Amino acid sequence: MEHFKNNRSIIDYLNSFESSTLNCQQLALTQDEYIITRYEKSEYLYLLTNGLASVDILEDSNNYISAFIFENDFFGLDSFSSFPTKNHAIKVISSSAEIVKIKKDFLLNALNQKPELYKLLLTNFADIFQRHYYFFNFLSLPPVERVKTTLLYLSDFISEPTEASHLEIPKEITQQIVARFCRTSQSRVSICLRKLHETGFLLTKTAPFIIN
């Protein structure tokens, strides 16, 4: 599990500039709203301060989730890419979300004066890459193990302990969300969840999923 990063310190520092009101914007979005749309080449970086979001790959023949964005995550790294377009969008999964939208050039110029905060920003992106490495062989796993790995991964970031000390994953993580992340059908995920319930790994077969 990665260490907590005090990303609020970056926002507090940016807000100390008089021009912050022109370069930093607070967004309040609701479920299924897009933060960044497909093909949009953003000139901003974002910090998710509350909620949960997904990186949706939008291909003509497929539509799946490649990654989750959790509270305290910076995202929008593609704004540095030389590719003129992209095939993904970022969408809110939770019932609501709060995001800080920051102009990229303002952020980089400001952090040039604070090397320790620049390092913190790079640590954020390095940790996100590390999460992707965790799923390097993900698609080669059998379906049941793929679903189990997904639920364990999500439990590290967004689960809440129950009174009986089990781990409950938010109800927004539905069978459909798990299926899109596992790149399989919802009916296949339903079978996998039933098997995980039978083995005692799960206490529930439907959302909210509770890990024993």
Side-chain angles (χ1 to χ4, degrees):
M1 183 69 176
E2 64 197 57
H3 294 295
F4 172 76
K5 296 171 286 292
N6 183 18
N7 290 329
R8 188 71 234 178
S9 63
I10 294 178
I11 303 304
D12 290 342
Y13 172 67
L14 295 177
N15 286 336
S16 69
F17 288 82
E18 289 185 5
S19 59
S20 66
T21 55
L22 300 175
N23 293 288
C24 298
Q25 182 182 357
Q26 300 284 337
L27 305 178
L29 302 179
T30 56
Q31 192 173 44
D32 292 332
E33 282 194 271
Y34 283 100
I35 306 168
I36 302 174
T37 60
R38 184 183 185 183
Y39 299 130
E40 177 186 357
K41 192 65 185 329
S42 177
E43 290 301 317
Y44 296 87
L45 289 177
Y46 302 81
L47 175 66
L48 183 64
T49 57
N50 185 49
L52 176 66
S54 63
V55 180
D56 290 12
I57 303 299
L58 307 171
E59 299 177 343
D60 293 337
S61 60
N62 207 353
N63 185 329
Y64 62 89
I65 294 172
S66 69
F68 294 101
I69 298 172
F70 305 110
E71 286 184 15
N72 202 45
D73 276 352
F74 273 100
F75 60 96
L77 190 58
D78 62 281
S79 63
F80 295 102
S81 169
S82 63
F83 286 84
T85 61
K86 57 187 179 59
N87 69 337
H88 71 270
I90 297 179
K91 185 170 69 174
V92 175
I93 296 178
S94 50
S95 58
S96 62
E98 296 174 4
I99 301 109
V100 182
K101 179 179 179 181
I102 311 161
K103 278 191 178 178
K104 180 183 66 176
D105 291 342
F106 168 71
L107 173 66
L108 296 181
N109 288 332
L111 294 189
N112 274 331
Q113 305 172 46
K114 280 276 187 177
E116 66 274 20
L117 294 183
Y118 216 126
K119 181 180 177 181
L120 177 58
L121 180 67
L122 294 178
T123 299
N124 274 271
F125 291 128
D127 283 351
I128 289 171
F129 283 129
Q130 192 65 37
R131 293 181 202 168
H132 284 287
Y133 300 150
Y134 179 78
F135 290 98
F136 185 72
N137 295 317
F138 181 64
L139 294 179
S140 66
L141 295 174
V144 173
E145 286 302 310
R146 220 182 299 167
V147 172
K148 183 178 181 179
T149 298
T150 298
L151 295 176
L152 286 172
Y153 170 69
L154 291 170
S155 72
D156 278 345
F157 290 93
I158 57 174
S159 66
E160 292 289 340
T162 66
E163 291 184 1
S165 298
H166 303 302
L167 296 176
E168 181 174 321
I169 296 173
K171 66 181 185 301
E172 288 87 358
I173 301 298
T174 61
Q175 287 189 19
Q176 181 185 32
I177 293 292
V178 174
R180 291 183 61 222
F181 185 70
C182 292
R183 302 189 199 183
T184 189
S185 66
Q186 192 170 335
S187 59
R188 175 61 66 88
V189 166
S190 180
I191 294 170
C192 295
L193 291 170
R194 186 169 68 247
K195 290 181 178 179
L196 291 172
H197 181 260
E198 290 170 355
T199 61
F201 173 75
L202 284 177
L203 299 181
T204 57
K205 293 180 287 186
T206 57
F209 301 114
I210 300 177
I211 298 176
N212 193 356

